[in-house]
Amino acid sequence: MHIAIIMDGNGRWAEKQGLPRTMGHRAGVLAVEECVRAAANLNVTDLTLYAFSTENWKRPRPEISALFRLFNGYFKNKALELKKEGVFVRFIGRRDRLSKAVLKTMYEVETLTQSGDRLILNIGIDYGGRDEIVRTTNKLIDGVIRRKILPSDIDEDLFFKYTDLGFNRPNPDLIIRTGGDRRLSNFMLWHAAYSEIEFSDTLWPDFTH
Ligand code: FPP
């Protein structure tokens, strides 16, 4: 069972309590921790979380920095615990616009946790569905130019393998979006073809039990 989540509503959660938006993201991290724990304990094999979209670069600089500090902190502090729990963390999205420090943390977490076989946790950072489709197309073109792929080999299965999600994992069975908006906002456009979609008005930091 693969569940993918668009974690929306951190900003409004904070504003509702007269707090700065970044406090909403901080509370969002706690909800992420609970969600990962719950997924690992349930019958979920794959969990994909949309943490930062290709469009999120348009946000104010201080908010972007605060978000990346949170990502870095979470993965640095939790890497060993995630490994112990059998969680394999992978990142989906572009890698060419992230800082060296973030890339280093991502590499370390992916390497440390790669033996995890209880839950695959995909984190979307600088991820956009259209961007992924364009990058996948370019990877295939490159393969054809290098004569590793024949144009006639390209079908839906091969295309899927070359997406960020690739390597024989299931498509999301269920996509959840919190925070009240009813749209996909460029999330997993290729993989969402047959997913059930659940919209919740609950703001992400409150999406706990
Ligand atoms: C959307 O809320 C949320 C984000 C842009 C960031 C999501 C990030 C986290 C939940 C933090 C932790 C993640 C990890 C993987 C450690 P919003 O700010 O758009 O809320 P709004 O719509 O109410 O303004």
Side-chain angles (χ1 to χ4, degrees):
M1 161 77 100
H2 181 175
I3 298 182
I5 308 182
I6 303 171
M7 309 179 288
D8 198 11
N10 293 347
R12 276 164 289 158
W13 182 90
E15 279 157 20
K16 251 177 46 183
Q17 309 181 52
L19 296 168
R21 293 176 56 82
T22 49
M23 292 304 285
H25 297 314
R26 204 176 272 260
V29 176
L30 299 179
V32 166
E33 285 180 32
E34 190 169 330
C35 180
V36 172
R37 219 174 300 127
N41 289 329
L42 293 167
N43 197 17
V44 177
T45 54
D46 300 68
L47 176 67
T48 301
L49 301 178
Y50 204 1
F52 193 88
S53 75
T54 47
E55 285 73 34
N56 282 156
W57 294 111
K58 294 187 193 122
R59 295 196 175 207
R61 200 69 232 173
E63 185 176 344
I64 296 175
S65 308
L67 273 169
F68 278 98
R69 269 198 304 276
L70 282 175
F71 300 151
N72 233 353
Y74 172 79
F75 290 111
K76 277 204 153 125
N77 296 332
K78 295 282 161 186
L80 265 176
E81 194 180 315
L82 290 165
K83 179 186 166 67
K84 274 188 205 137
E85 284 172 9
V87 179
F88 176 14
V89 183
R90 299 171 60 213
F91 294 91
I92 58 170
R94 295 176 64 139
R95 301 261 173 140
D96 59 333
R97 305 192 289 196
L98 301 174
S99 75
K100 283 213 174 84
V102 169
L103 286 169
K104 183 164 176 275
T105 306
M106 285 162 62
Y107 174 76
E108 285 169 359
V109 178
E110 281 183 327
T111 327
L112 184 78
T113 61
Q114 66 190 347
S115 58
D117 55 6
R118 191 150 154 237
L119 175 72
I120 304 274
L121 174 60
N122 302 301
I123 305 288
I125 290 188
D126 202 4
Y127 176 86
R130 286 184 177 174
D131 178 78
E132 180 186 38
I133 290 171
V134 171
R135 279 186 295 104
T136 303
T137 307
N138 279 315
K139 279 189 242 170
L140 289 166
I141 291 172
D142 193 58
V144 170
I145 291 171
R146 289 169 193 274
R147 298 186 185 275
K148 289 189 176 140
I149 301 171
L150 288 172
S152 57
D153 289 341
I154 300 175
D155 57 11
E156 288 188 12
D157 283 345
L158 191 74
F159 195 94
F160 180 32
K161 281 197 187 112
Y162 274 73
T163 64
D164 295 349
L165 205 67
F167 80 72
N168 287 330
R169 302 306 307 175
N171 283 301
D173 301 283
L174 171 66
I175 296 180
I176 299 171
R177 181 177 187 144
T178 64
D181 281 344
R182 279 147 173 76
R183 53 174 176 257
L184 274 182
S185 298
N186 205 10
F187 186 50
M188 308 200 88
L189 296 184
W190 172 271
H191 313 92
Y194 294 100
S195 309
E196 215 172 296
I197 306 181
E198 177 79 29
F199 296 105
S200 163
D201 291 331
T202 305
L203 304 174
W204 174 251
D206 289 330
F207 199 72
T208 53
H209 55 276

